[in-house]
Amino acid sequence: MVEPHSDKHRELYDFKSIEDRWRNFWSEQGFFRARTEATEDKFYYLNMFPYPSGSLHVGHGRNYIIGDVITRAKIMRGLQVLNPMGWDAFGLPAENAAIEHETHPWTFTKKNIEIAKEQFRNWGVQFDWDREVTTCLPDYYKWTQWLFIQLYKHGLAYKKKATVNYCPTCDTVLANEQVVGGACERCGTPPQPRDLKQWFFKITDFAQQLLDDLDKLEKWPDNVIKMQENWIGRSEGAKVVFTTTADDPITVFTTRPDTLWGATFMVLAPEHPLVDKLTTEEQRDAIAEYQDMAARASAIERMSTDREKTGVFTGGYAVNPANGEKAPVWIADYVLMTYGTGAIMAVPAHDERDYAFALKFGLPIIPVIDRIDDRAKAFVPTAAMGSGMAAALDAIDLPYHRSDAGVLVLPTRADLDAGIDAIQSNLAPNSYATIVGARFAFIFPDDVIELDSVQSDREIVLRSALLTGSGFTARTAMEILHNIEGYSELLCHAEYGSMVNSGQFTGTPGDRAKLEVSEWLEEKGIGRATVNFRLHDWLISRQRYWGAPIPIIYCDQCGMAPVPDAELPVKLPEVEFIGKMGLGDIPGFVDTVCPTCAGPARRDTDTMDTFVDSSWYFLRFINSQDADKVFDRDDVDHWLPVDQYVGGVEHAILHLLYARFITKALCNMGHLGFDEPFARLFTQGMVCHTAYRCSEHGWLFPHEVKDSACPRCGKEVETDYFSMSKSKKNVVNPAKIIDQYGADTERLYTMFMGPPDRDIEWSEEGIRGAFRFLNRLWNLIITNVDRLADVDATVDSGPLAGDGAALWRRVHRTIKKVSEDIEDRFSFNTAVAAIMELFNELSAYIAGDEVDAALLRQAVDALVLILSPFTPFICEELWQRIGHTDSILEQAWPTFNASALAEETIEVPVQINGKVRARIRVARATNADPKALEAAVLASPEVEKRIEGKEIIKVIAIPEKMVSIVVR
RNA sequence: GCCGGGAUGGCGGAAUUGGCAGACGCAAAGGACUUAAAAUCCUUUGAGGGUAUCCUCGUGCGGGUUCAAGUCCCGCUCCCGGCACCA
């Protein structure tokens, strides 16, 4: 380490005064003000804008510091950078806070915005504040309403009935997130379902496009792409129409039209509209009771997947169009009204759920798809073993298991006939055996009955009952088989095998079956191939105050009409205290005049989902100060798509899907020239911290816990890592860190602590490490300011040797690495590590005997420049101290000299029999040529010694990598 | 259940295209400075053995491919996330 001559007078790293000096500098200089009309290469960086809920913690900081690092580097690259910020300010928490404090939601929101802005300033995180948007202000939501009207005019916004959760105690509609554990989050009352007419956006029109265009998003994380795929949930199948005992037919969606012949019953969702018509008088009470229970159960919560199947027979029947069989119609809550048509054809032999249901309620199960693995099992109960059975089975040489209960034979498809023959001819009188898998049959002494139809199912049950006598309870053949040990895995499968027991389609191979049946359905006019999506239309109506009012007017004479553009925005009424009510409860709000006939009319009293506000804000930033139009088409086309979008993975589905949908919709309408809003997406991980919890008194602040005991009851507290949140009392306040160590230290540690896409634990020790590094950096440069004065940074690398040459190479290698890590790899932790390595080498070099002044200058300049995006305050200060007069942001990002990357002599590891045994230095030229490299290595004394007296089998020489020698 | 992602020293993590495992930082131990402590600086630090120059083992587990595997293939275990009775 350097021994500075004037140690006692050395200036200490006074981060407070340094950071105060530069805190306003960058924004005052306008470095972060993007010129909309600029023609240089642009870079639109965007962080997901926050909901202003209170002060931000160090975990939030991670998000914005990433953006600040990237944009500072891009500015130095000479790009026209746009990094705007705004507030996703509508929503429930503000409304709740307003209710709690008896203030207006805006009061709460405004205060939080001020706090957050000050926090950004303290972090040194810069935005183009001239473009700030706040979704709850009329100059923004005017355009949210404009967007609604555009969608309405293009048929993409429509009204229909939907169920909401209504809390009778609070006398208000609850948002889904207000229903916690099946009860109102505030009063604990179970909510009641209520049907209201509500607005929807027709996102399903874009389902296929939203799915297809995921392929375009090459620079999105795979997991987000997958989540969106799952959410859209495309599945290919067919719609099939079943006639019924009521007048109306039942239409079902199935992904397996090839299993139609096995559809032995139908199941409707309890709330399916046809239930009423199909229900017979005898069943009416039972059906009503079940419907009631289902309605309540769905409100209480989705139960786990593996709960027992329940359901009730309606008394009505449908007709299977494939084989004319009567299929009883049931209702059950495992069929969802919200997917497909709300009705299914149940194929119990090839669907686990239908199988369980059929078994429980005694409905016939007929296999119609062959096994693809050819496995089969035949069971002969001990009582059915005739005298010759054992010998006969031995004779055909099949594997079998014997137990007290009987013999379980394992034939393959080829042995089936021989096996059945052997069993049948050796059955004891009045007994039977069974076979399942590649073939389903009951083997009676005088007959073999295949389980191939509902009739044969009945016949089998009758004959078995006769032979068994009293105690026989099975209602179906499959029920008999289900009770035989060892059979269960062969009774139901969902593979695509050849069709069997399916009339003229029997024998159709599995890879064609779906298609051929679909075509046949279409020919017969009883169905057709259909694509179904899990994605539903987007319900945007909210019965709340704190949101953008839906700009629709209802007139008794003229019907429904949008508010004319000139009358936008429809402002939220300014009322003192809102409480739990919606707009309908505010006197005077609904009253308006009809835009068509000027007669009295009513306003829509709902507000829009806050996801609508955030589904287009990235467009508004381009022309946010334009009061006359939402955006300028040319400007928006130039600046978008967003080059880099960064935010939490919790928005991987809804926000990103809605933003993509709105972009596509606006593009279709001709408002935009692009149809994907975000070219590149990055989702950062959360910052976790220890949280303390007492089983009795809940979450505790760390300072409350002494000797891991609860301060109130003395009980031992549980500790675990959780992402920082106020409710878990484990947030780290950046103000405290900044006060103690400075913003640069927080920034450096935040970027250094781990890969940015992963969750990570905040560590107090880590912070001190970052602080120590900045102190070392400060001390080294400040104590060497004299040596740097008036030196030109142009290095003549020719005469450099030894440590000098090594440092020179390190400087250039580090520039390359840090550039790639920041701009391409999103690997800030390794960029910081590389800078630390450069610093360590620089320190050692300075402490040495010979110091090349130009090299020192170049190294220090480069170090300060490439570190500056991470720690802008200290770097800006040092930059001035070492004699520069311009701001760092006016400097070009340093470039590396390619010739500096390669060393003159390179150390080549030598493996002998797979283990590294030596390292040989060879010249660069030698290393480039495999032959020369091999020769040089074999000739080296160290290697010679190692392989002496051994036979060389093989030598692999890979230039730039290593040499591997195989000896014996 | 299905779909993603992950597992590397005491800890956070690095190894970018199959090529020297453990960069960088933290923590710990020893030393220097100090009356002392803190701060700072120096040294050591995957495990085991020889204690020198070196050898053996080692990236969740079990196999495999290869001159060479944290990295590729097959089969598991555990953890995290998403979806979940989706027909």
Side-chain angles (χ1 to χ4, degrees):
Chain A
M1 196 32 217
V2 212
E3 278 310 315
H5 8 77
S6 55
D7 198 27
K8 292 199 180 73
H9 306 290
R10 187 174 64 189
E11 185 185 348
L12 295 175
Y13 170 44
D14 180 359
F15 59 87
K16 278 204 171 112
S17 68
I18 293 169
E19 293 182 4
D20 282 346
R21 190 169 313 135
W22 298 102
R23 191 153 269 133
N24 296 323
F25 173 77
W26 303 297
S27 56
E28 281 166 5
Q29 295 289 307
F31 291 125
F32 293 84
R33 220 172 286 141
R35 284 176 294 117
T36 306
E37 66 291 350
T39 52
E40 306 98 305
D41 284 348
K42 58 91 187 183
F43 186 81
Y44 186 177
Y45 177 90
L46 189 62
N47 270 122
M48 290 181 187
F49 67 163
Y51 176 79
S53 65
S55 52
L56 305 168
H57 56 65
V58 295
H60 297 115
R62 191 183 196 191
N63 200 357
Y64 306 109
I65 292 165
I66 288 172
D68 201 57
V69 170
I70 293 172
T71 50
R72 282 173 187 272
K74 292 291 185 188
I75 287 171
M76 293 169 77
R77 279 276 188 229
L79 297 174
Q80 186 64 212
V81 171
L82 170 59
N83 182 18
M85 184 45 65
W87 313 98
D88 190 13
F90 271 139
L92 264 180
E95 214 170 291
N96 287 340
I99 291 165
E100 203 176 311
H101 301 112
E102 307 209 353
T103 66
H104 193 279
W106 174 237
T107 315
F108 166 84
T109 304
K110 200 169 145 188
K111 194 188 82 205
N112 287 333
I113 289 175
E114 278 160 20
I115 293 171
K117 276 179 136 171
E118 180 61 15
Q119 289 187 291
F120 287 138
R121 203 179 71 91
N122 288 335
W123 272 322
V125 168
Q126 304 292 311
F127 296 105
D128 185 350
W129 286 115
D130 291 353
R131 295 167 187 267
E132 178 178 5
V133 300
T134 307
T135 58
C136 66
L137 296 180
D139 65 353
Y140 183 89
Y141 69 69
K142 173 183 178 177
W143 301 110
T144 307
Q145 292 170 340
W146 172 87
L147 172 70
F148 177 96
I149 290 167
Q150 288 297 310
L151 293 167
Y152 176 77
K153 286 182 174 165
H154 288 85
L156 293 172
Y158 67 96
K159 241 185 151 177
K160 78 170 180 198
K161 234 190 226 171
T163 309
V164 295
N165 290 309
Y166 178 84
C167 174
T169 310
C170 301
D171 189 26
T172 187
V173 173
L174 300 177
N176 286 337
E177 58 269 30
Q178 288 176 299
V179 182
V180 176
C184 170
E185 80 174 338
R186 231 174 294 152
C187 68
T189 315
Q192 300 168 346
R194 274 205 182 174
D195 280 344
L196 296 178
K197 280 201 89 181
Q198 308 199 60
W199 285 97
F200 287 82
F201 286 167
K202 221 168 174 191
I203 191 172
T204 51
D205 268 14
F206 292 80
Q208 188 65 49
Q209 210 187 331
L210 285 164
L211 184 67
D212 291 344
D213 290 353
L214 288 171
D215 288 347
K216 289 193 204 166
L217 305 175
E218 286 166 20
K219 293 182 171 173
W220 279 39
D222 293 345
N223 60 333
V224 175
I225 301 263
K226 273 279 176 274
M227 280 189 227
Q228 295 223 344
E229 266 174 34
N230 292 342
W231 191 261
I232 295 168
R234 182 184 196 274
S235 50
E236 284 180 13
K239 278 190 176 163
V240 187
V241 181
F242 287 67
T243 55
T244 66
T245 47
D247 294 336
D248 307 73
I250 298 172
T251 303
V252 301
F253 173 74
T254 175
T255 54
R256 296 298 301 270
D258 54 323
T259 63
L260 181 56
W261 282 257
T264 50
F265 61 102
M266 316 285 289
V267 187
L268 306 186
E271 62 272 46
H272 193 285
L274 280 180
V275 174
D276 241 20
K277 292 187 180 165
L278 280 159
T279 304
T280 57
E281 274 320 306
E282 308 86 81
Q283 293 301 100
R284 201 154 291 278
D285 288 349
I287 288 284
E289 194 188 330
Y290 187 79
Q291 284 178 316
D292 207 50
M293 185 215 82
R296 254 186 328 224
S298 68
I300 284 172
E301 225 178 16
R302 295 210 84 79
M303 297 287 167
S304 71
T305 344
D306 45 34
R307 83 191 228 255
E308 177 106 12
K309 294 273 180 292
T310 57
V312 178
F313 178 42
T314 61
Y317 288 87
V319 177
N320 185 324
N323 54 19
E325 285 290 341
K326 265 171 80 178
V329 181
W330 288 62
I331 64 170
D333 64 1
Y334 82 91
V335 173
L336 310 174
M337 197 55 227
T338 52
Y339 185 81
T341 61
I344 62 159
M345 62 178 212
V347 184
H350 304 291
D351 181 288
E352 288 287 349
R353 295 154 301 175
D354 298 344
Y355 179 80
F357 192 85
L359 210 58
K360 176 165 174 185
F361 293 107
L363 295 157
I365 301 170
I366 312 299
V368 293
I369 301 292
D370 212 353
R371 291 194 74 80
I372 52 176
D373 64 5
D374 291 349
R375 289 173 65 204
K377 285 183 180 177
F379 181 70
V380 184
T382 305
M385 300 272 288
S387 52
M389 185 73 82
L393 291 175
D394 281 341
I396 54 170
D397 195 25
L398 292 175
Y400 64 86
H401 299 300
R402 239 209 118 110
S403 69
D404 289 347
V407 176
L408 189 64
V409 189
L410 308 171
T412 58
R413 191 180 291 277
D415 311 316
L416 285 174
D417 288 335
I420 289 172
D421 276 355
I423 291 169
Q424 190 181 23
S425 40
N426 292 287
L427 278 174
N430 297 323
S431 66
Y432 69 95
T434 52
I435 184 160
V436 298
R439 187 152 161 196
F440 284 81
F442 280 64
I443 306 165
F444 297 98
D446 57 336
D447 200 359
V448 175
I449 306 182
E450 307 288 337
L451 177 58
D452 59 3
S453 65
V454 177
Q455 289 91 320
S456 69
D457 183 63
R458 265 183 241 127
E459 196 182 336
I460 287 165
V461 171
L462 275 173
R463 292 201 56 164
S464 310
L466 278 173
L467 291 179
T468 310
S470 65
F472 184 89
T473 56
R475 294 157 295 179
T476 62
M478 195 60 84
E479 196 171 347
I480 300 171
L481 299 172
H482 185 80
N483 291 325
I484 294 173
E485 210 178 322
Y487 270 4
S488 59
E489 56 177 20
L490 294 184
L491 299 182
C492 173
H493 76 86
E495 310 285 327
Y496 285 93
S498 297
M499 293 172 71
V500 294
N501 307 329
S502 299
Q504 74 273 31
F505 279 94
T506 296
T508 309
D511 53 351
R512 296 211 311 267
K514 224 168 129 166
L515 182 73
E516 289 189 14
V517 173
S518 296
E519 283 171 356
W520 176 78
L521 286 168
E522 192 147 7
E523 271 166 40
K524 300 270 283 182
I526 49 173
R528 73 181 132 98
T530 308
V531 172
N532 191 62
F533 292 95
R534 202 190 78 102
L535 181 70
H536 296 136
D537 277 341
W538 175 12
L539 194 174
I540 58 124
S541 295
R542 296 290 182 272
Q543 293 72 39
R544 314 215 69 84
Y545 171 78
W546 196 231
I550 290 176
I552 289 287
I553 293 171
Y554 304 93
C555 171
D556 288 337
Q557 306 306 314
C558 315
M560 183 163 71
V563 174
D565 284 357
E567 285 171 33
L568 294 179
V570 177
K571 283 198 186 176
L572 275 176
E574 284 183 34
V575 284
E576 292 239 322
F577 170 62
I578 291 313
K580 64 198 177 188
M581 288 163 262
L583 296 178
D585 304 307
I586 297 166
F589 177 79
V590 290
D591 304 322
T592 187
V593 291
C594 170
T596 317
C597 71
R602 301 177 313 280
R603 288 192 188 282
D604 197 302
T605 55
D606 285 351
T607 51
M608 286 183 246
D609 179 10
T610 55
F611 276 116
V612 180
D613 307 325
S614 57
S615 66
W616 71 280
Y617 76 109
F618 44 90
L619 302 167
R620 182 62 180 163
F621 279 132
I622 307 304
N623 310 93
S624 67
Q625 302 313 304
D626 193 331
D628 299 325
K629 55 181 184 297
V630 58
F631 48 69
D632 181 283
R633 161 94 195 244
D634 287 341
D635 291 342
V636 168
D637 283 356
H638 174 246
W639 280 95
L640 281 106
V642 172
D643 294 276
Q644 179 67 62
Y645 196 35
V646 174
V649 73
E650 67 274 18
H651 293 116
I653 297 170
L654 293 182
H655 163 61
L656 289 169
L657 200 64
Y658 294 151
R660 294 180 61 222
F661 156 59
I662 293 296
T663 303
K664 287 179 191 303
L666 289 173
C667 178
N668 271 13
M669 295 174 201
H671 293 300
L672 300 174
F674 53 93
D675 65 357
E676 281 292 339
F678 312 120
R680 184 171 172 170
L681 174 73
F682 183 83
T683 53
Q684 90 279 0
M686 285 181 295
V687 176
C688 302
H689 200 227
T690 315
Y692 301 88
R693 188 189 163 84
C694 166
S695 52
E696 220 167 299
H697 300 100
W699 300 102
L700 299 164
F701 287 111
H703 62 82
E704 292 178 303
V705 179
K706 294 229 169 58
D707 303 324
S708 59
C710 172
R712 278 197 266 171
C713 61
K715 226 187 268 173
E716 193 170 334
V717 296
E718 305 155 28
T719 66
D720 207 345
Y721 299 112
F722 289 102
S723 66
M724 287 188 187
S725 80
K726 257 187 236 162
S727 62
K728 297 198 178 72
K729 298 187 173 178
N730 66 339
V731 297
V732 173
N733 181 357
K736 217 175 141 189
I737 303 293
I738 292 173
D739 182 60
Q740 214 174 341
Y741 303 104
D744 277 334
T745 293
E746 184 190 336
R747 292 174 61 116
L748 186 68
Y749 171 62
T750 298
M751 292 295 94
F752 181 60
M753 61 183 168
D757 55 342
R758 229 183 281 176
D759 286 356
I760 195 141
E761 185 200 337
W762 181 268
S763 128
E764 314 296 333
E765 289 77 28
I767 267 285
R768 286 206 292 276
F771 184 62
R772 270 200 293 266
F773 173 76
L774 291 182
N775 273 284
R776 285 199 298 271
L777 173 79
W778 177 265
N779 292 338
L780 183 76
I781 294 180
I782 287 301
T783 51
N784 285 283
V785 162
D786 295 348
R787 298 164 94 161
L788 294 165
D790 304 319
V791 176
D792 191 335
T794 312
V795 173
D796 177 8
S797 61
L800 287 177
D803 294 345
L807 177 62
W808 185 65
R809 281 195 301 270
R810 168 78 70 184
V811 169
H812 289 269
R813 224 167 49 222
T814 307
I815 292 170
K816 179 169 189 281
K817 177 162 178 59
V818 171
S819 310
E820 289 168 357
D821 282 357
I822 293 177
E823 297 182 272
D824 305 327
R825 291 186 59 219
F826 259 79
S827 183
F828 308 105
N829 54 327
T830 52
V832 172
I835 292 170
M836 287 174 169
E837 283 180 80
L838 170 60
F839 173 82
N840 290 344
E841 189 159 341
L842 176 64
S843 295
Y845 180 72
I846 289 177
D849 303 333
E850 271 180 57
V851 174
D852 180 287
L855 174 62
L856 180 62
R857 173 94 231 179
Q858 189 184 67
V860 170
D861 278 4
L863 177 64
V864 172
L865 289 176
I866 60 179
L867 184 62
S868 71
F870 298 93
T871 59
F873 298 99
I874 190 175
C875 288
E876 200 73 78
E877 179 77 17
L878 288 170
W879 190 247
Q880 305 271 305
R881 297 294 188 97
I882 58 180
H884 298 278
T885 50
D886 290 354
S887 163
I888 283 184
L889 289 172
E890 292 170 89
Q891 304 300 313
W893 185 256
T895 52
F896 60 90
N897 181 340
S899 68
L901 299 178
E903 295 180 62
E904 276 311 309
T905 65
I906 297 170
E907 199 179 71
V908 180
V910 180
Q911 288 188 355
I912 296 169
N913 287 345
K915 292 205 165 79
V916 177
R917 296 297 189 195
R919 294 180 176 84
I920 311 295
R921 288 207 80 89
V922 298
R924 204 200 304 184
T926 309
N927 194 351
D929 172 28
K931 286 255 160 54
L933 179 59
E934 180 179 332
V937 165
L938 289 176
S940 81
E942 215 179 323
V943 174
E944 255 180 356
K945 198 173 70 192
R946 289 268 178 190
I947 59 179
E948 202 176 13
K950 300 206 170 98
E951 184 192 351
I952 297 175
I953 312 256
K954 196 173 180 183
V955 179
I956 298 119
I958 314 283
E960 311 288 331
K961 300 274 195 210
M962 64 178 334
V963 175
S964 188
I965 305 168
V966 188
V967 298
R968 191 152 51 197

